[in-house]
Amino acid sequence: MSSHFLGNSIKLENVYISSTGTTCGPLEFSGPLGAYFDKGYDDYHCGEKSFEKAERKMLRDSLDICLKREKLKPKDIDLFIGGDLMNQNTTVHYLARELPQPFIGIYGACSSFCLSMAISSLMIEAGFVDQVVAMVSSHNATAERQYRYPVEYGVQKKATTTFTATGAISTLLTNKPSSVRVEALTLGKVIDYSQDDPNDMGRAMAPAAYDTIMTHFQDLKRSFKDYDLVVTGDLSTYGHKILKEMMQRNKIDVVRYNDCGCLLYDIQQQEVFQGGSGCACSGLVTMGYLYPLLKEKKYKRVLIVATGALLSPMMSAQKDTIPSVAHAISLEVVE
Amino acid sequence: MSSHFLGNSIKLENVYISSTGTTCGPLEFSGPLGAYFDKGYDDYHCGEKSFEKAERKMLRDSLDICLKREKLKPKDIDLFIGGDLMNQNTTVHYLARELPQPFIGIYGACSSFCLSMAISSLMIEAGFVDQVVAMVSSHNATAERQYRYPVEYGVQKKATTTFTATGAISTLLTNKPSSVRVEALTLGKVIDYSQDDPNDMGRAMAPAAYDTIMTHFQDLKRSFKDYDLVVTGDLSTYGHKILKEMMQRNKIDVVRYNDCGCLLYDIQQQEVFQGGSGCACSGLVTMGYLYPLLKEKKYKRVLIVATGALLSPMMSAQKDTIPSVAHAISLEVVE
């Protein structure tokens, strides 16, 4: 019998990371973590005729890199689970036509990285399947034109905005022991603190990150000190600051905490406003940068709290606010 | 240890349906199955100021009806899993703000009913959680204006089109024995037969339904004869006919097969073109109509194959085709 959830969290015994593939756009590739990613593209079209097709190509490339490392083909995988920011999960679903195995589409906005990793992990932990690929992507130009305005319009941005990362991440999770495992996860509640500005997602998401982190600590009787690093997904400068303030107000000792949106770019030098966002932001930082550090045993255990603003432009037009969610996974070195 | 997938299917031992709540719009309520649904609304606004809010209200009402039957509150539920047809899964996510427990957003277009039931069932089968609510909704006016044109425009419809059902379904799945259980499920592959007409979804989805049904039969060594009824989700008249032709061409004996899109409405009398579609179509027919028939032991075992056209209007504009998927659950009377 598998474990049972403790509150909203569960400890896992049998889930390992076997391989990963990370691809990214030009800004991510020239950023401070660029050298960690498997492949970067010179431009936002990636040789394709539309931005949407470019995002799909990045995702396919990340999958091919991930599988090639383990000498596997898509037919060897039991199940694919993925999501992206496009309406109807266009990127993953249009790619999934090329995959000869079942596909589960999930949507958690920018939290989709941890959500896809969490559901994949649960499927393996239960013993239902042996090999699952979790996949997510985001693309600055596809997200901008869907959620706000096409980049080509050159609309002025508010200072509070974040910059959707361009990249794709495929991760192979299996029950076959390797050097890094998914040792615990926490599923998030949908939280809405009545923030209604779609140009300030960091602030909308901070309360969801707070709730998931505190729930994780409470469920597993842990604190920040039990991790070498805790990262949120894409709160970026403002949201990251708010989260710390919320913690301090509640007398929580915040140590070794950072945000993937602040790590992915050089916020001083690169024009990314408050920092990075999008499924690819937490995905690239986790699988491109933190996973190798875990493999090299520079970190023993890290907590990834991918945050998602479940913003609906239709609901914003109807004067509604922005619900948010955060899902967390804990990665640990296998001794 | 839980069971393992046999191909893309799995047999379940511990998943029971404890309760359900079904709400629907005026056309579904006055249709041939209307008397089976828990609540019907007189108009498409359900007393709300927008169609999107109306869809959310229908979903909340279905949840309240479902939980009230078992004298439960949302806080008693371990996990909520749901999806709808709106961009960003707006209906379920904006409702989830009101829920004090974790939420997993899934997207499989009209297949979301079976996808949410399948993932919920797997979570219970694994022993991870005890009580999960699977929830889906669709609304004719919200879907029309998002995928095609606002209903108010009065755009002429092609004869091949289907009619998105208005309704919401919440289903409580638990590990506590009851009279009907989820005994098996099959997760679908994304299939694309290069159909590119967004006004003819039945034909786009028929190959996905075919693949999932044949995979289900092959994995579990079954045929149509092992079921008192096999229903597809929303192929409606044309797709339903194509599916039968595909089966017959491959010398499969098709018996006791129908389509929820043909059952939900009186296609001769009600103006629904080829019949019903949408997450609510398979959901209403299954949980409103078939579930009581199972409880009364009029059926012993039924297979629900919810079909989803993963249509992206953006990709249609880019001349791409329509990928489809179908996920199946088998419901059985507990002797």
Side-chain angles (χ1 to χ4, degrees):
Chain A
M1 199 66 185
S2 315
S3 318
H4 194 277
F5 268 71
L6 312 154
N8 304 340
S9 310
I10 189 165
K11 286 189 188 182
L12 307 171
E13 300 293 336
N14 304 305
V15 186
Y16 300 90
I17 298 180
S18 292
S19 179
T20 188
T22 50
T23 55
C24 68
L27 209 60
E28 296 71 21
F29 207 48
S30 63
L33 305 184
Y36 290 92
F37 307 135
D38 292 316
K39 184 172 179 178
Y41 304 84
D42 292 338
D43 74 284
Y44 285 98
H45 275 97
C46 311
E48 298 289 326
K49 285 191 174 171
S50 73
F51 294 134
E52 288 73 19
K53 286 176 184 164
E55 184 174 339
R56 200 192 306 166
K57 180 174 169 45
M58 284 197 312
L59 186 60
R60 178 74 216 206
D61 287 350
S62 79
L63 176 63
D64 290 343
I65 293 165
C66 173
L67 294 183
K68 198 177 172 189
R69 286 205 164 108
E70 289 290 294
K71 299 189 175 63
L72 293 170
K73 303 274 182 200
K75 71 173 170 45
D76 302 318
I77 303 305
D78 298 313
L79 179 61
F80 293 86
I81 299 179
D84 59 82
L85 297 182
M86 293 292 92
N87 295 338
Q88 298 89 39
N89 274 359
T90 296
T91 312
V92 295
H93 280 137
Y94 277 67
L95 173 61
R97 300 184 286 194
E98 302 167 14
L99 305 176
Q101 297 292 0
F103 185 83
I104 293 176
I106 54 97
Y107 184 79
C110 309
S111 75
S112 295
F113 168 65
C114 278
L115 184 57
S116 65
M117 292 284 281
I119 301 181
S120 301
S121 297
L122 290 169
M123 294 290 147
I124 290 166
E125 180 73 6
F128 294 143
V129 287
D130 302 325
Q131 307 201 99
V132 180
V133 169
M135 49 208 311
V136 292
S137 67
S138 58
H139 188 297
N140 186 269
T142 66
E144 283 301 312
R145 78 174 168 191
Q146 179 181 284
Y147 286 100
R148 284 165 287 261
Y149 299 97
V151 175
E152 300 89 328
Y153 286 10
V155 169
Q156 272 215 329
K157 293 283 195 179
K158 283 182 71 169
T160 53
T161 199
T162 52
F163 186 86
T164 305
T166 302
I169 301 92
S170 295
T171 307
L172 174 62
L173 294 158
T174 76
N175 52 14
K176 199 176 67 178
S178 72
S179 56
V180 179
R181 70 189 192 96
V182 184
E183 67 92 21
L185 61 88
T186 300
L187 295 174
K189 302 191 273 287
V190 176
I191 306 272
D192 191 328
Y193 266 35
S194 301
Q195 210 278 80
D196 63 359
D197 181 355
N199 296 302
D200 187 1
M201 308 273 236
R203 284 197 248 225
M205 293 187 289
Y210 177 82
D211 187 84
T212 297
I213 294 171
M214 295 312 295
T215 301
H216 181 82
F217 288 167
Q218 194 182 332
D219 290 345
L220 303 180
K221 302 194 185 351
R222 292 182 186 173
S223 73
F224 277 97
K225 296 192 179 96
D226 290 297
Y227 294 92
D228 295 314
L229 184 68
V230 174
V231 285
T232 42
D234 54 355
L235 300 184
S236 288
T237 324
Y238 280 174
H240 171 244
K241 188 163 162 274
I242 287 169
L243 180 64
K244 281 205 278 193
E245 285 168 7
M246 289 178 79
M247 292 282 177
Q248 280 151 6
R249 208 176 307 136
N250 289 287
K251 309 212 180 333
I252 310 298
D253 193 11
V254 182
V255 291
R256 300 188 290 271
Y257 163 60
N258 212 325
D259 183 76
C260 297
C262 302
L263 289 164
L264 184 61
Y265 301 106
D266 180 338
I267 297 177
Q268 302 304 317
Q269 299 293 324
Q270 295 183 301
E271 290 185 354
V272 294
F273 305 92
Q274 297 305 317
S277 62
C279 318
C281 182
S282 53
L284 286 173
V285 172
T286 303
M287 296 316 302
Y289 175 58
L290 300 176
Y291 172 56
L293 292 177
L294 285 159
K295 281 207 286 191
E296 293 163 16
K297 303 196 179 182
K298 289 188 180 154
Y299 287 140
K300 291 270 177 71
R301 192 198 270 169
V302 300
L303 183 66
I304 323 298
V305 188
T307 36
L310 301 162
L311 169 73
S312 154
M314 170 74 86
M315 285 297 108
S316 291
Q318 291 181 24
K319 314 280 184 207
D320 209 329
T321 54
I322 305 172
S324 296
V325 70
H327 301 289
I329 56 170
S330 168
L331 304 184
E332 188 179 73
V333 170
V334 177
E335 294 296 344
Chain B
M1 199 64 188
S2 313
S3 317
H4 194 278
F5 267 71
L6 312 154
N8 304 340
S9 310
I10 190 166
K11 286 190 189 181
L12 306 172
E13 300 293 336
N14 306 306
V15 186
Y16 301 90
I17 298 179
S18 292
S19 179
T20 188
T22 50
T23 56
C24 68
L27 209 60
E28 295 71 21
F29 207 48
S30 62
L33 305 184
Y36 290 92
F37 307 135
D38 293 315
K39 184 172 178 177
Y41 304 84
D42 292 338
D43 75 283
Y44 285 98
H45 275 97
C46 310
E48 298 289 326
K49 285 189 174 172
S50 73
F51 294 134
E52 287 74 19
K53 286 176 183 164
E55 185 174 340
R56 199 193 305 166
K57 180 173 170 44
M58 286 198 311
L59 186 60
R60 178 73 217 207
D61 286 350
S62 79
L63 175 63
D64 290 343
I65 292 165
C66 174
L67 295 184
K68 198 177 172 189
R69 285 205 164 110
E70 289 291 295
K71 299 190 177 60
L72 293 169
K73 303 273 181 201
K75 72 173 170 45
D76 302 319
I77 303 306
D78 298 313
L79 179 61
F80 293 86
I81 300 180
D84 59 81
L85 297 182
M86 292 294 92
N87 296 338
Q88 298 89 40
N89 274 357
T90 296
T91 312
V92 295
H93 280 136
Y94 278 66
L95 173 62
R97 301 183 286 193
E98 301 167 15
L99 305 175
Q101 296 292 0
F103 185 84
I104 293 176
I106 54 98
Y107 183 79
C110 309
S111 75
S112 296
F113 169 65
C114 278
L115 185 57
S116 64
M117 292 285 280
I119 301 180
S120 301
S121 297
L122 290 169
M123 294 291 145
I124 290 166
E125 180 74 5
F128 294 143
V129 286
D130 302 324
Q131 307 202 99
V132 180
V133 170
M135 51 208 309
V136 292
S137 67
S138 58
H139 188 295
N140 186 270
T142 67
E144 283 301 312
R145 77 175 170 191
Q146 179 180 286
Y147 287 99
R148 284 164 288 261
Y149 299 97
V151 175
E152 300 88 328
Y153 286 9
V155 169
Q156 272 216 328
K157 293 284 198 177
K158 283 182 71 169
T160 53
T161 200
T162 51
F163 186 86
T164 304
T166 302
I169 301 92
S170 296
T171 306
L172 174 63
L173 294 158
T174 75
N175 52 13
K176 198 176 67 179
S178 72
S179 57
V180 179
R181 70 189 191 96
V182 184
E183 66 93 21
L185 61 88
T186 299
L187 294 175
K189 302 190 275 285
V190 176
I191 306 272
D192 191 329
Y193 267 35
S194 302
Q195 209 279 80
D196 62 0
D197 181 355
N199 296 303
D200 188 0
M201 308 272 237
R203 283 197 249 226
M205 294 187 289
Y210 177 81
D211 187 85
T212 297
I213 294 171
M214 295 312 294
T215 302
H216 181 83
F217 288 167
Q218 195 181 334
D219 290 345
L220 303 180
K221 302 194 184 356
R222 292 182 185 172
S223 73
F224 278 96
K225 297 195 179 92
D226 290 297
Y227 293 92
D228 294 314
L229 184 67
V230 174
V231 285
T232 42
D234 53 357
L235 300 184
S236 289
T237 324
Y238 280 174
H240 170 245
K241 188 163 163 273
I242 287 169
L243 180 65
K244 281 205 279 193
E245 285 168 7
M246 288 177 80
M247 292 284 176
Q248 280 151 3
R249 209 176 307 135
N250 289 287
K251 308 213 180 336
I252 310 297
D253 193 11
V254 182
V255 291
R256 299 189 291 271
Y257 164 59
N258 212 325
D259 183 75
C260 296
C262 302
L263 289 165
L264 185 60
Y265 301 105
D266 180 338
I267 297 178
Q268 302 304 317
Q269 300 293 324
Q270 295 182 300
E271 290 186 356
V272 294
F273 305 92
Q274 297 305 317
S277 61
C279 317
C281 182
S282 53
L284 285 174
V285 172
T286 303
M287 296 315 303
Y289 175 58
L290 300 177
Y291 171 56
L293 292 177
L294 285 159
K295 281 206 285 190
E296 293 163 18
K297 304 197 178 182
K298 289 190 179 152
Y299 288 140
K300 292 270 178 71
R301 191 198 270 169
V302 300
L303 182 66
I304 323 297
V305 187
T307 36
L310 301 162
L311 170 73
S312 154
M314 170 74 87
M315 286 296 109
S316 291
Q318 292 182 23
K319 314 279 184 211
D320 208 330
T321 54
I322 305 171
S324 296
V325 70
H327 301 289
I329 57 170
S330 168
L331 304 183
E332 189 179 73
V333 170
V334 177
E335 293 295 344

